[in-house]
Structures are given as structure tokens and as C-alpha cells.
Amino acid sequence: EPEVTQTPSHQVTQMGQEVILRCVPISNHLYFYWYRQILGQKVEFLVSFYNNEISEKSEIFDDQFSVERPDGSNFTLKIRSTKLEDSAMYFCASRAYLWDTQYFGPGTRLTVL
Amino acid sequence: SQQGEEDPQALSIQEGENATMNCSYKTSINNLQWYRQNSGRGLVHLILIRSNEREKHSGRLRVTLDTSKKSSSLLITASRAADTASYFCATEYGNKLVFGAGTILRVKS
């Protein structure tokens, strides 16, 4: 069964460093998402992406964040200058159609020291 | 806030018993989805119920949706120790999911 994959599973970085989190969505899916979950808190929406552009973003998704689909398979989230409060589990999700099921990847745990 | 809120926050039952979790939300939705998360791991999709549906089943899972009360429930029948996890409802607004805080279910064997 197709699934969303994410790499790395765990990333440790120093405050101020740039990180890139990678996702491979399910191959025939058209809508892509990033969410995050700070330890012990709710899953929060960050950004949605369709047709090679951002379709919606949350207040969390400020100028330090960017997303890209550099080729036909990968979908990346870049944080330019990490802060301690960026430490969280980051989930990628994808779906084939609007309002269809969103399938989540296993997550990348980002730890900012 | 558009968020769904689950109750109870935590539920502890014996293996074989049924578990019911509830979710309430505040504004009109396109659909509502239920997910499971094992400790610190990924989100596994369980069921999607659309705003024009009232009930859906999948194996031991039954989900109901009452749009007039803005609420949904997830019933797990004949629970197993492997059902121990956090369960989240996620309401769909526009092109995003809004998650509740979840119900922590513990099934004792």
C-alpha cells in the first residue's frame, strides 16, 4: 500500500541553523501539507501546497519557513534560522483530491539546541 | 476557534470492552476525520465522514456525525490491548485539518 515517507526521522540542530525536512508524498496525490506537533500539544497546520504554489498558510508559517516541490516526487520544508521553539514533530501529508483523506507520514522529530 | 475538542481526555478500559470517544466542533465543516497516534509516532487515518453522512463503519470502528449538534463520536468495539493509543478528531475547514487535543485510550489486558 502506498505511503508517505519522511526523512530524516530525527534531526538535531543548533539554534540559528537552517534545516530541510524532506517528504515523498503518495505518487498520484496533488495536495501536500505540513503540520507540526510540539511535545504534548495539538497537531497544528502549517501550510498547504497545490499546483506548485502555497494555497494556505497559518500564522506559524512566517518568513523563516518555506516549502518547495523541487521535482516530481519530493516535497520539502525549510526552516531558515531555527529557534528553540521550532522543536517539534513535523508531519507531511498528502491527498489525491480536495476534501479527501489526508495521509500522514511518520514524522521528523526536530530538536533545536 | 474552529478546533474540535475530544472528551474524555483519557479513558481506561478492560480488553473486550467498548470505548467511546466524543468530539465537538464550532463551525460548519466539509468533513471530519479520526486519526490514531501511538506514543510519539505518526498519525494513522481511521475514518473520514463527510458532512452529509451520519454514520460510517470500518471493522470494529463506528463513527457518527451530528451536524446539528456539531459533534461526532468514535466507538471501538471489543477493544484490544493494541488499541492503546491517542485518538484525534480533525475537522476540515477549507483546505486544512484542525485537530483536537485527543483522547488517550488505555486498554488493559
Side-chain angles (χ1 to χ4, degrees):
Chain A
E1 184 176 331
E3 56 185 23
V4 177
T5 60
Q6 290 184 243
T7 55
S9 57
H10 191 188
Q11 172 98 43
V12 181
T13 189
Q14 295 291 325
M15 191 170 54
Q17 294 297 303
E18 175 184 287
V19 294
I20 297 176
L21 310 182
R22 302 181 192 280
C23 168
V24 179
I26 295 172
S27 64
N28 62 339
H29 285 187
L30 302 176
Y31 297 84
F32 313 112
Y33 305 84
W34 286 99
Y35 294 80
R36 79 173 187 190
Q37 185 181 32
I38 295 172
L39 188 63
Q41 297 188 24
K42 299 178 182 181
V43 177
E44 303 173 287
F45 167 78
L46 292 178
V47 66
S48 59
F49 192 86
Y50 170 73
N51 200 25
N52 280 321
E53 60 182 29
I54 291 173
S55 46
E56 190 170 350
K57 60 183 180 180
S58 71
E59 292 177 352
I60 303 167
F61 195 89
D62 61 20
D63 292 344
Q64 292 300 311
F65 291 86
S66 63
V67 290
E68 191 177 33
R69 188 157 164 81
D71 52 42
S73 59
N74 291 283
F75 180 50
T76 62
L77 174 69
K78 181 193 291 186
I79 308 175
R80 287 188 184 79
S81 178
T82 51
K83 305 170 188 170
L84 295 176
E85 54 265 38
D86 293 329
S87 294
M89 182 76 95
Y90 286 80
F91 294 107
C92 173
S94 71
R95 62 180 167 186
Y97 307 106
L98 199 56
W99 303 332
D100 197 10
T101 297
Q102 288 192 29
Y103 293 94
F104 282 75
T108 292
R109 181 166 298 284
L110 176 64
T111 302
V112 182
L113 302 176
Chain B
S1 169
Q2 301 163 326
Q3 291 168 337
E5 296 297 339
E6 293 93 337
D7 84 271
Q9 292 183 324
L11 182 60
S12 183
I13 59 174
Q14 290 294 134
E15 204 165 28
E17 294 180 339
N18 295 342
T20 299
M21 289 158 268
N22 302 295
C23 170
S24 61
Y25 57 92
K26 296 185 179 177
T27 62
S28 297
I29 57 173
N30 299 314
N31 63 54
L32 186 147
Q33 304 185 40
W34 284 90
Y35 288 85
R36 184 185 75 225
Q37 184 180 38
N38 290 83
S39 180
R41 304 184 73 173
L43 294 160
V44 175
H45 183 261
L46 298 176
I47 288 186
L48 178 152
I49 187 164
R50 302 194 185 281
S51 58
N52 61 351
E53 297 175 313
R54 292 296 167 259
E55 188 171 311
K56 283 189 87 168
H57 298 254
S58 176
R60 294 184 295 113
L61 307 180
R62 173 179 169 250
V63 166
T64 61
L65 179 65
D66 187 333
T67 53
S68 66
K69 295 181 179 177
K70 293 185 170 59
S71 67
S72 175
S73 67
L74 169 67
L75 168 67
I76 304 174
T77 59
S79 63
R80 304 167 182 168
D83 294 328
T84 294
S86 293
Y87 291 81
F88 297 91
C89 72
T91 44
E92 172 124 33
Y93 300 97
N95 189 16
K96 67 182 182 217
L97 293 177
V98 178
F99 284 80
T103 293
I104 300 171
L105 174 66
R106 181 184 171 211
V107 181
K108 296 176 283 187
S109 56

